[in-house]
Amino acid sequence: MPSPELGGAGDAPALDVGGRRYTYRDLDRAIERCIDRDPDAVVYDASDLPVADALIRVCAAARRGIPVRVEDPAARPHRPGIPPGAFLLVATSGSTGRPRPLARTAASWYDSFPAFTAITGVAPADRVLITGPLYATMHLFGALHALWRGACVTDDPARATVVHAVPAVLREVVRTCPRLRTAIVAGIALDDGALAAAAGIDVVEYYGSSEVSLVAARRVPQPMRLIDGVEAEVRDGLLFVRSPYRVLGAPDWFGVGDLAELGADRELTVLGRGDCAINVGGTVVVAEDVERVLASLDGIVAVAVIGSPHAVLGQTVTAAVQLEHGAGLAEIRSRARRVLAKEAMPRRWVPLPALPRTAAGKVARGRLKDLLT
């Protein structure tokens, strides 16, 4: 009988990725072969492996109770040591700077899976499409949850019934998924364009971070709420979370770094990254709010907003934009003036052929700032 990291058994499909197919019986045997090949290993590394082999190695680590590295091979963080009890050796996304090493226990993810199942409705009959590399933790989380649930992890959009994606990827992937029932969105806030693209399917949005994992979730259009077992406080506008799902070494109350508001009945409204709050002459402009408005304008494919130093106002707004072919920046500026407050209106516009992104599809703001300075 397979151990608890696998929720399926027998001939039920488990993996359909990279042209390779495994039933749960096949997968269980592959995990045992992985263990037998190196019975004395004290740490595994799945970073450079194809998806199927990486998941086999991660499951083998879970079964043996040893750590496994799942890191970006091109940007491995310096890791001074491995703390006792570590299972997953991962890293932050690097969206605001260099990736930082993290270590988490198996329980910090597996214990949250029942709550995640209740929110998402993922069932054993589902085929769960993963749209990014496993070293992006939202995709690794989605894949391990699917296997724990007894569903099939796939890279075939034509057969997928559930997808994990950031909003920018969701816009494109829904066109290729005729059987899609549910879209599970994370990474950055869901925007109107992505929601419109997903019309007709159930959309689940969850909020979390690499350090504290799953924090809050909602079924659109319901409000976002903290999941059971998670507490939150807002201090000077910034969100602090106390969670049983945090990484090893994190403080009891972890400062996520996001601007947020807490309402009645555990409702959570995330306003944007605290380091993306732009102080324009004493008025705080939230970068994500400006991005949502600009992204709704015709002619803009993608947009990211940062603050630029100003001798008088302290900061002003700079917008990096990827434009549709033939779109004119002068016309877009004119439209923006009609929908943005004066303080939020970008003073500098920088057209780019594409915005720099992390492997998970989020804007790499650290790299963007380097480009614009």
Side-chain angles (χ1 to χ4, degrees), residues 4 36 39-40 43 83 110 120 123 166 172 193 229-230 255 257 265 270 285 288 300 319 350 368:
D36 291 342
D40 298 323
V43 59
Y110 282 97
T120 61
V166 296
E172 302 301 321
V230 173
D265 197 22
V270 180
V285 174
E288 282 93 337
I300 292 182
V350 181
L368 180 63

Side-chain angles (χ1 to χ4, degrees), residues 64-76:
R64 285 194 58 201
I66 66 172
V68 56
R69 296 178 184 269
V70 190
E71 301 167 334
D72 183 352
R76 286 181 181 268

Side-chain angles (χ1 to χ4, degrees), residues 53-105:
D53 294 322
L55 288 173
I56 288 167
R57 193 164 291 183
V58 171
C59 289
R63 191 168 292 187
R64 285 194 58 201
I66 66 172
V68 56
R69 296 178 184 269
V70 190
E71 301 167 334
D72 183 352
R76 286 181 181 268
H78 172 65
R79 194 176 291 278
I82 300 175
F87 163 48
L88 286 173
L89 305 176
V90 292
T92 59
S93 66
S95 58
T96 57
R98 284 192 59 81
R100 290 182 291 102
L102 302 173
R104 62 169 58 253
T105 65

Side-chain angles (χ1 to χ4, degrees), residues 37-307:
R37 278 195 298 270
D38 195 358
D40 298 323
V42 294
V43 59
Y44 288 144
D45 194 337
S47 305
D48 291 308
L49 299 178
V51 170
D53 294 322
L55 288 173
I56 288 167
R57 193 164 291 183
V58 171
C59 289
R63 191 168 292 187
R64 285 194 58 201
I66 66 172
V68 56
R69 296 178 184 269
V70 190
E71 301 167 334
D72 183 352
R76 286 181 181 268
H78 172 65
R79 194 176 291 278
I82 300 175
F87 163 48
L88 286 173
L89 305 176
V90 292
T92 59
S93 66
S95 58
T96 57
R98 284 192 59 81
R100 290 182 291 102
L102 302 173
R104 62 169 58 253
T105 65
S108 70
W109 267 9
Y110 282 97
D111 286 358
S112 72
F113 285 172
F116 193 65
T117 302
I119 295 161
T120 61
V122 172
D126 278 315
R127 287 180 172 263
V128 180
L129 179 66
I130 305 300
T131 59
L134 296 181
Y135 56 75
T137 54
M138 67 169 284
H139 301 301
L140 182 59
F141 183 88
L144 292 184
H145 172 261
L147 293 177
W148 175 87
R149 188 69 178 107
C152 179
V153 176
T154 187
D155 60 2
D156 182 3
R159 305 187 72 187
T161 57
V162 175
V163 64
H164 286 261
V166 296
V169 173
L170 180 63
R171 290 169 179 256
E172 302 301 321
V173 80
V174 291
R175 304 173 187 173
T176 64
C177 296
R179 303 182 183 182
L180 200 61
R181 173 178 58 81
T182 301
I184 302 171
V185 183
I188 57 175
L190 184 65
D191 61 272
D192 291 341
L195 191 56
I201 63 175
D202 291 335
V203 177
V204 175
E205 181 182 21
Y206 74 91
Y207 168 78
S209 77
S210 300
E211 296 88 351
V212 290
S213 192
L214 183 62
V215 172
R218 67 172 182 142
R219 276 192 168 269
V220 176
Q222 297 171 353
M224 188 85 72
R225 286 189 170 87
L226 299 172
I227 67 165
D228 289 346
V230 173
E231 300 174 69
E233 292 181 355
V234 174
R235 306 173 187 173
D236 296 325
L238 293 173
L239 181 64
F240 285 76
V241 171
R242 181 158 65 181
S243 171
Y245 312 127
R246 66 187 184 275
V247 296
L248 288 166
D252 188 34
W253 283 96
F254 181 81
V256 182
D258 287 334
L259 298 165
E261 295 174 351
L262 284 171
D265 197 22
R266 296 170 59 81
E267 288 186 14
L268 175 68
T269 302
V270 180
L271 303 175
R273 290 291 303 171
D275 54 11
C276 294
I278 305 168
N279 192 324
V280 182
T283 298
V284 176
V285 174
V286 178
E288 282 93 337
D289 289 346
V290 180
E291 290 168 354
R292 279 191 284 271
V293 173
L294 294 180
S296 69
L297 300 180
D298 291 339
I300 292 182
V301 175
V303 58
V305 165
I306 66 169

